[in-house]
Amino acid sequence: MRGVSHQKWWGWGVEGVAFSHHDKPNMAPFVRERVGIDLDAPGSPPPTFEDIDVPEPRIGADLSATLTSAVGEDHLVTDDLDRVVHTYGKGLPDLVRIRAGDLPRIPDVVVYPGNEDEVRAVVDAAVEADAVLIPFGGGSNISGSLTPPAREDRVVVSLDLGRLNRVLEIDEASGLARIQAGVLGPDMEEQLGARGWTMGHQPDSFRHSTLGGWIATRSSGMQSDKYGDIADIARGMRVVLPGKVVALRPLPSTSTGPSVREMILGSEGRLGVITEAWVAVHRLPENRDIIAYLYPSWASAIAAMQEIAGSDAAPTVTRVSDANETAFSFSTQKVKKGASGKVQSVLFDVLERRGWDMDAVCLSYVGYEGDSAKVRAEKAVVGKIVRKHGGIKLGRGPGALYDQKKFDTPYIRDFLLDIGGLADVSETAAPWSRLMDLYFGTLRAAQEAFDSLGVQGFVMCHLSHSYHSGACLYFTFAFAPGVDGTEEQLERYWVVKKAIQQSFIDLGATLSHHHGVGTDHAHWLEEDISPAGTDLMVSLLRGVDPGRNLNPGTLLPAHREW
Amino acid sequence: MRGVSHQKWWGWGVEGVAFSHHDKPNMAPFVRERVGIDLDAPGSPPPTFEDIDVPEPRIGADLSATLTSAVGEDHLVTDDLDRVVHTYGKGLPDLVRIRAGDLPRIPDVVVYPGNEDEVRAVVDAAVEADAVLIPFGGGSNISGSLTPPAREDRVVVSLDLGRLNRVLEIDEASGLARIQAGVLGPDMEEQLGARGWTMGHQPDSFRHSTLGGWIATRSSGMQSDKYGDIADIARGMRVVLPGKVVALRPLPSTSTGPSVREMILGSEGRLGVITEAWVAVHRLPENRDIIAYLYPSWASAIAAMQEIAGSDAAPTVTRVSDANETAFSFSTQKVKKGASGKVQSVLFDVLERRGWDMDAVCLSYVGYEGDSAKVRAEKAVVGKIVRKHGGIKLGRGPGALYDQKKFDTPYIRDFLLDIGGLADVSETAAPWSRLMDLYFGTLRAAQEAFDSLGVQGFVMCHLSHSYHSGACLYFTFAFAPGVDGTEEQLERYWVVKKAIQQSFIDLGATLSHHHGVGTDHAHWLEEDISPAGTDLMVSLLRGVDPGRNLNPGTLLPAHREW
């Protein structure tokens, strides 16, 4: 669709960008030893589109005509590539399936409405025809929210919001902007930045995800400590339902009963199509710095993070990697030429002589924004806490590097798939008191899962998104499944993924801090919010969409669908 | 009920505490001139209980027996006084009706369960018998949430949570406390304070309201700028529904679909009975200061407040009164003896000579908490902003006075009722860009309402609860209705109240920032959250409580009840 860009049909990001380890000499040895995957093994590149067997669209002439009159001929697409692009998100199971050409059910038609009236016409037509409607933003979902149910007999309509990509107005006095839901992160920040504003929301998916998608999945960005989660940022919104529009005005706070705003947040397409939102925006900061610190151990790092969260400093980013993630991160550095490489090696020697176990060190980033005095004061507060917990400051260099590379990580997954490795993530949040148990318990659960499969396996973790009462832990795991075949690989993947998710729930943490429920995490919903809490959600969804036309199958475990 | 204290059956607060103007020599002249009410007029004291005609309880032997076996004989009460205490909240219409002995429908029985199992037994029994169940905390609601519908034919059970009054545990590492829902503010803070903690939540109703009530109405306290609204504070909760318990664990943030936590918040009894919650608690602050400032005008004060909200200072309290509220506040000062009275009068002379219009001055309070360096830095930031907008610092004295007297204001309403005056409040929130229009538009609407009634009338306002994108405006209005008779007086009251509420909605503000919807504000719900947004709420409520047994009639406008 002209003017609407999509990610690769088979993987993360855009054509022409891929991960390579050839300029990172320490990475292959690290991955071979620690993960059990040979990065130099002969790879199977992703399939060519011509090799994929794409089902014919099943859509009747009536609905086709109604949709065409809704959006115009140019904005209704049934070609194979477009429909395949709209079939999956970018979760690991999605990537494994698409690379295998596994397409049990794909959208029959993709429509690109250009305004809210057209969205209304599409929604009305789809529900009137008892079709299934799946809203689509950047397609970066990794919880299985975007895929039509395999056995769906009804027509499946994918509603791509990509043409709704404008910042409509800025209320400068209030720090609020009205923005269309289909805008991608970089485009939105460019429009805001041109007028001196920023939303400050930077999820890992930032380059390939949309405002509507963030709202629909309760997204959180790496600067959430300052800017808030999307649930804090999105103050008002418009949502299209059959025959009507939910219109919530931007309010700083309100006492109008059970929060409808907080029902739309996280609704993953089941409560309609979000067309626009009023979001909090901020003046571009005078200074912006990300400083790296190093801790001698995970325990000292977590203690420091908790103390920073409770301190008078209000950093934008608080992040610390465990020893595994730190080691992995160091292994992906490019060859350091000249002084800076030397400085690092000298520093590490010094620390080792001081008695540090360099296999246990944890790398941390803390972000600062504001005027010079505030940034200086906050750095002083954080510096004191870091020192108290035995850490040291590495300085601005690694922080700047992190800032540049932060959106690149997902590309590694596709590279690993090329050589038969499986990698994915699971993230959660819990009170501070539970974080250490949660961390070690989850590592143990993952290791037991690896052992049961007879594979080596690797897990690494970072803490990010600090709150008064707790924080997010974000786990990345990888292993060579040792089997071929989509189903066999996915079966092994699920052994590990399920062990990690179950550990979250068993140790008092949530099924997801910011990736959403989708179909992948729905299994744990009742254990997370209790069966009776799930009843409330079912009451809401069933009352709003009795025909199950709006993205059915996501959010709820299968036995709770009506 | 032993161990459970209640407010006066006919008014605010506890027996033996009342408002008097006799030690405030400037007040009677002020009120006579500005409000048109003669404080020294001969008053009609509140009625004696014996004069009230209390309907007999209508409850069958079966339900009575089941409830008795649920809570024990000692904790089921059908006596007249107890039932009358549980009939009304403390809104102005409530007070007018109860003083007139107007009791169209009162609870048939009051039960005091002592634990969650007993709450479950009561809820199950009530719904099984198709009775109406109304949860009752401190009875301080002023939105009409507590009163049984006048034409309710079914048995009405009031469930008083007063025996559930303990802080159960404190998770010190996470800054979280698990607290029973029926605890009153002072009792809770005493239990927390004994262990060095505070929740920091201080609504005007603090002394007579409960944790469960705060959650059920989306309460906000005067220190919300630091501690957050109750929606931020309450992280996990347990809620009893027929046959089940919604159990939400304390999580700093989560991405589990439409937020069930945010459905319980504001549910005003319609989604079950909240029995306990995990709330964020904080260490008692090292320093706590409230400093008073004076601005030459409302416009300069609002501009300063907005700048403070966007600054690096993070005060606990930001509050400024308009000229009317400032003048009223000065009129309620006791006679100043000696130096401090003299200082004030000298200061005012100086300001007048500087060209200030002393009828336009606006009094502001800003609260600070934290270590000395933080408090000092924040005072410096605020001080600079105050000066930039032409304001001056008055110092600690008036702030300390405010801090002591802040919970006393509601007593004035009862005193005014004694002498035939009507006074009430309406509060709202809106983006910063709309506040001035909202303020003047609402003053105009109120004045037009007074004019249409041919009464003098008085409105005053303060800003409190500042957010990034807006703030709360809190209006207090008073007038002598010039008519006798409950219905006649209330009719006139509603002319003014409706004009103010409609002005909120028409000018982009919400029907309530923190008092809730109840029955009094339900009329504006669809205009606030849109008819389609109301559909979502109806879907939820109807799905959870198809028989309309749980506090029916509150939250939704009458034509949306099913």
Side-chain angles (χ1 to χ4, degrees):
Chain A
M1 178 57 48
R2 199 173 46 210
V4 177
S5 63
H6 292 119
Q7 295 186 70
K8 296 166 184 166
W9 65 271
W10 55 269
W12 186 265
V14 289
E15 296 290 350
V17 179
F19 178 82
S20 164
H21 70 286
H22 293 302
D23 51 353
K24 306 172 185 79
N26 297 322
M27 187 173 175
F30 180 90
V31 173
R32 192 176 307 119
E33 187 198 341
R34 302 290 295 280
V35 191
I37 295 177
D38 181 2
L39 296 187
D40 296 312
S44 333
T48 56
F49 193 71
E50 289 64 39
D51 294 339
I52 302 284
D53 189 14
V54 180
E56 287 299 307
R58 323 179 205 163
I59 177 168
D62 279 4
L63 179 56
S64 198
T66 326
L67 291 175
T68 302
S69 84
V71 297
E73 216 172 329
D74 290 350
H75 302 117
L76 179 145
V77 181
T78 54
D79 78 40
D80 285 356
L81 180 59
D82 226 323
R83 290 189 298 121
V84 167
V85 161
H86 289 82
T87 300
Y88 287 116
K90 303 297 182 189
L92 194 274
D94 297 332
L95 300 183
V96 170
R97 289 203 185 281
I98 190 62
R99 291 170 80 107
D102 188 7
L103 295 166
R105 189 71 181 94
I106 87 168
D108 299 299
V109 60
V110 182
V111 292
Y112 294 85
N115 57 48
E116 188 180 279
D117 284 344
E118 294 184 8
V119 173
R120 296 188 66 168
V122 169
V123 170
D124 288 350
V127 174
E128 172 66 28
D130 194 21
V132 160
L133 185 89
I134 305 179
F136 190 97
S140 67
N141 183 278
I142 57 170
S143 304
S145 284
L146 291 174
T147 308
R151 293 181 206 172
E152 184 57 69
D153 286 330
R154 297 174 289 180
V155 175
V156 176
V157 179
S158 179
L159 190 164
D160 190 306
L161 288 139
R163 291 174 64 211
L164 301 180
N165 59 6
R166 282 174 304 134
V167 173
L168 297 171
E169 57 180 307
I170 299 179
D171 173 352
E172 305 224 341
S174 308
L176 286 167
R178 186 161 72 92
I179 305 179
Q180 289 184 306
V183 70
L184 291 165
D187 186 4
M188 182 193 73
E189 281 293 328
E190 200 177 321
Q191 294 180 59
L192 289 172
R195 295 174 60 179
W197 294 89
T198 180
M199 194 166 119
H201 185 68
Q202 297 195 335
D204 292 350
S205 63
F206 176 74
R207 288 189 181 142
H208 309 291
S209 54
T210 62
L211 173 59
W214 300 332
I215 294 172
T217 57
R218 295 186 168 271
S219 167
S220 185
M222 54 191 74
Q223 300 185 144
S224 68
D225 289 12
K226 171 179 176 183
Y227 294 96
D229 298 328
I230 200 72
D232 306 303
I233 295 168
R235 304 311 315 166
M237 52 195 74
R238 292 180 66 87
V239 188
V240 171
L241 278 166
K244 62 194 176 191
V245 179
V246 177
L248 303 175
R249 299 168 310 159
L251 295 166
S253 188
T254 179
S255 177
T256 43
S259 171
V260 172
R261 191 180 69 88
E262 290 269 5
M263 296 178 199
I264 304 300
L265 283 154
S267 56
E268 300 188 13
R270 298 211 65 162
L271 291 177
V273 181
I274 300 161
T275 56
E276 62 178 56
W278 276 104
V279 298
V281 292
H282 300 255
R283 283 289 177 196
L284 290 170
E286 203 177 305
N287 299 281
R288 185 167 184 281
D289 246 0
I290 296 186
I291 302 292
Y293 303 89
L294 201 64
Y295 293 94
S297 70
W298 180 242
S300 62
I302 295 294
M305 285 294 139
Q306 177 170 5
E307 197 165 332
I308 292 169
S311 78
D312 290 339
T316 54
V317 178
T318 50
R319 183 185 169 105
V320 61
S321 295
D322 72 353
N324 272 1
E325 195 171 283
T326 300
F328 174 74
S329 178
F330 285 143
S331 86
T332 63
Q333 287 185 311
K334 298 185 183 180
V335 197
K336 286 268 174 74
K337 286 170 189 149
S340 87
K342 207 157 197 171
V343 168
Q344 181 180 313
S345 129
V346 169
L347 172 71
F348 279 35
D349 288 347
V350 169
L351 292 174
E352 221 158 11
R353 280 201 299 275
R354 276 199 211 163
W356 283 42
D357 173 2
M358 296 313 290
D359 290 335
V361 295
C362 294
L363 182 62
S364 171
Y365 298 108
V366 177
Y368 305 89
E369 281 185 13
D371 66 32
S372 305
K374 172 169 180 277
V375 167
R376 200 165 46 238
E378 293 192 339
K379 282 181 183 172
V381 170
V382 170
K384 202 172 155 187
I385 295 170
V386 170
R387 285 190 300 277
K388 175 180 161 190
H389 293 279
I392 59 155
K393 178 167 112 176
L394 294 183
R396 203 172 268 150
L401 197 68
Y402 163 73
D403 208 24
Q404 285 158 29
K405 308 296 277 177
K406 62 196 173 191
F407 300 129
D408 294 343
T409 318
Y411 285 100
I412 301 180
R413 230 167 18 147
D414 291 310
F415 172 74
L416 285 176
L417 282 169
D418 284 353
I419 53 170
L422 301 181
D424 204 18
V425 297
S426 273
E427 42 74 55
T428 187
W432 289 109
S433 62
R434 292 179 177 268
L435 285 190
M436 290 306 275
D437 278 357
L438 174 63
Y439 174 74
F440 287 111
T442 301
L443 291 194
R444 191 181 317 119
Q447 193 55 54
E448 285 168 7
F450 291 139
D451 291 348
S452 78
L453 297 174
V455 301
Q456 179 175 352
F458 180 75
V459 189
M460 61 189 191
C461 175
H462 63 255
L463 174 149
S464 53
H465 314 284
S466 297
Y467 304 83
H468 167 77
S469 302
C472 164
L473 288 188
Y474 192 113
F475 294 87
T476 302
F477 58 95
F479 65 106
V483 289
D484 293 326
T486 311
E487 298 310 324
E488 293 76 9
Q489 290 198 342
L490 286 181
E491 194 180 308
R492 298 194 139 209
Y493 162 79
W494 278 111
V495 168
V496 181
K497 172 83 175 172
K498 282 188 173 173
I500 291 173
Q501 290 290 138
Q502 190 63 49
S503 161
F504 291 171
I505 293 292
D506 293 345
L507 297 171
T510 181
L511 61 82
S512 169
H513 168 267
H514 60 271
H515 286 164
V517 181
T519 49
D520 292 358
H521 301 147
H523 173 75
W524 292 275
L525 186 68
E526 288 185 298
E527 287 185 84
D528 194 326
I529 66 170
S530 76
T534 308
D535 291 349
L536 267 62
M537 203 185 295
V538 171
S539 290
L540 172 67
L541 301 183
R542 183 157 54 185
V544 172
D545 179 33
R548 300 182 68 249
N549 300 104
L550 306 173
N551 206 10
T554 195
L555 279 183
L556 299 178
H559 70 280
R560 296 307 305 270
E561 286 282 347
W562 56 94
Chain B
M1 178 57 46
R2 200 173 45 213
V4 178
S5 63
H6 291 120
Q7 294 186 71
K8 295 166 186 166
W9 66 269
W10 55 268
W12 187 263
V14 289
E15 295 289 350
V17 180
F19 178 82
S20 163
H21 70 287
H22 293 301
D23 51 353
K24 306 172 185 79
N26 298 322
M27 188 173 174
F30 180 90
V31 172
R32 192 176 309 118
E33 187 198 337
R34 302 290 296 277
V35 191
I37 296 177
D38 180 1
L39 296 187
D40 296 312
S44 332
T48 56
F49 194 70
E50 289 63 39
D51 295 338
I52 302 284
D53 189 15
V54 180
E56 288 297 307
R58 325 177 201 163
I59 177 170
D62 280 4
L63 178 56
S64 198
T66 325
L67 291 174
T68 302
S69 84
V71 297
E73 216 171 329
D74 291 350
H75 303 118
L76 178 145
V77 181
T78 54
D79 77 39
D80 286 353
L81 179 59
D82 226 323
R83 290 189 298 120
V84 167
V85 161
H86 289 82
T87 300
Y88 287 115
K90 302 298 182 191
L92 195 275
D94 297 333
L95 301 182
V96 170
R97 290 202 183 282
I98 190 62
R99 290 171 81 106
D102 188 6
L103 294 166
R105 189 71 182 93
I106 87 167
D108 299 298
V109 59
V110 183
V111 292
Y112 295 85
N115 57 49
E116 187 180 280
D117 284 344
E118 293 185 8
V119 173
R120 296 189 64 168
V122 169
V123 171
D124 288 350
V127 175
E128 171 69 27
D130 194 20
V132 160
L133 185 89
I134 305 179
F136 191 96
S140 66
N141 183 277
I142 58 170
S143 305
S145 283
L146 292 174
T147 307
R151 294 180 204 172
E152 184 58 66
D153 287 330
R154 299 174 288 180
V155 176
V156 176
V157 180
S158 179
L159 190 164
D160 190 307
L161 289 140
R163 291 174 65 212
L164 301 179
N165 58 5
R166 281 175 304 133
V167 173
L168 296 171
E169 58 180 305
I170 299 179
D171 174 351
E172 304 223 341
S174 308
L176 286 167
R178 186 159 72 92
I179 305 179
Q180 289 184 305
V183 70
L184 291 165
D187 185 2
M188 182 193 75
E189 280 293 328
E190 200 178 319
Q191 294 182 57
L192 289 172
R195 295 174 61 178
W197 294 87
T198 180
M199 195 167 119
H201 185 69
Q202 296 195 336
D204 291 351
S205 63
F206 176 75
R207 289 191 181 138
H208 308 290
S209 55
T210 61
L211 173 59
W214 300 333
I215 293 171
T217 57
R218 294 186 168 272
S219 167
S220 184
M222 53 191 76
Q223 301 185 142
S224 69
D225 289 12
K226 172 181 175 183
Y227 294 97
D229 297 328
I230 199 71
D232 306 303
I233 295 168
R235 304 310 316 168
M237 51 195 74
R238 292 179 66 87
V239 187
V240 172
L241 278 166
K244 62 195 176 191
V245 180
V246 176
L248 303 176
R249 301 169 307 162
L251 295 166
S253 188
T254 179
S255 177
T256 43
S259 172
V260 172
R261 190 180 71 88
E262 290 268 5
M263 297 178 200
I264 305 301
L265 282 155
S267 56
E268 299 188 13
R270 298 210 67 161
L271 291 176
V273 182
I274 300 161
T275 56
E276 62 176 59
W278 276 104
V279 298
V281 292
H282 300 254
R283 283 291 178 194
L284 289 170
E286 203 177 307
N287 299 280
R288 184 165 183 284
D289 248 358
I290 296 187
I291 303 293
Y293 303 89
L294 201 64
Y295 293 93
S297 70
W298 180 242
S300 61
I302 296 294
M305 285 294 141
Q306 178 170 4
E307 196 165 333
I308 292 168
S311 77
D312 290 341
T316 55
V317 178
T318 50
R319 183 183 170 106
V320 63
S321 294
D322 71 353
N324 272 2
E325 194 170 283
T326 299
F328 174 76
S329 177
F330 285 144
S331 86
T332 63
Q333 286 185 314
K334 298 186 183 179
V335 197
K336 285 268 175 74
K337 287 169 190 152
S340 87
K342 207 158 196 172
V343 168
Q344 183 180 311
S345 131
V346 169
L347 173 69
F348 279 36
D349 287 347
V350 169
L351 291 175
E352 221 157 9
R353 281 202 298 277
R354 274 200 212 164
W356 283 42
D357 173 0
M358 296 314 288
D359 291 334
V361 296
C362 294
L363 182 62
S364 170
Y365 299 108
V366 178
Y368 305 89
E369 282 186 13
D371 65 32
S372 306
K374 172 171 180 278
V375 167
R376 200 166 45 240
E378 294 191 338
K379 283 182 183 171
V381 169
V382 171
K384 202 170 154 188
I385 294 170
V386 170
R387 286 190 299 278
K388 175 179 161 191
H389 293 279
I392 59 156
K393 179 165 113 176
L394 294 184
R396 204 172 267 152
L401 197 69
Y402 163 73
D403 207 24
Q404 284 158 30
K405 309 295 277 177
K406 62 194 173 191
F407 301 129
D408 294 344
T409 317
Y411 286 100
I412 303 181
R413 230 168 15 149
D414 292 309
F415 172 74
L416 285 177
L417 282 169
D418 284 354
I419 52 170
L422 301 181
D424 204 18
V425 296
S426 273
E427 41 73 57
T428 187
W432 289 109
S433 62
R434 293 179 177 269
L435 285 190
M436 291 306 275
D437 278 354
L438 174 63
Y439 173 74
F440 287 110
T442 302
L443 292 194
R444 191 182 316 121
Q447 194 54 55
E448 285 169 6
F450 291 139
D451 291 348
S452 77
L453 297 174
V455 302
Q456 180 175 353
F458 179 75
V459 189
M460 60 188 193
C461 174
H462 63 256
L463 173 149
S464 53
H465 313 285
S466 297
Y467 304 83
H468 167 75
S469 303
C472 165
L473 287 189
Y474 192 113
F475 294 85
T476 302
F477 59 95
F479 66 106
V483 290
D484 294 326
T486 311
E487 299 309 326
E488 293 75 8
Q489 290 198 342
L490 286 180
E491 195 181 307
R492 298 194 139 209
Y493 163 79
W494 278 111
V495 168
V496 182
K497 172 81 176 174
K498 282 186 174 174
I500 291 174
Q501 290 290 139
Q502 190 64 48
S503 162
F504 291 172
I505 293 292
D506 293 345
L507 297 171
T510 181
L511 60 83
S512 169
H513 169 265
H514 60 273
H515 286 164
V517 181
T519 50
D520 291 358
H521 300 148
H523 173 74
W524 293 276
L525 186 68
E526 289 185 298
E527 287 185 84
D528 193 327
I529 67 169
S530 75
T534 308
D535 290 349
L536 267 63
M537 204 186 293
V538 171
S539 290
L540 172 67
L541 300 183
R542 182 157 55 185
V544 172
D545 180 32
R548 299 183 68 249
N549 300 104
L550 305 172
N551 207 11
T554 195
L555 279 182
L556 299 178
H559 70 279
R560 297 308 304 271
E561 284 283 346
W562 57 92

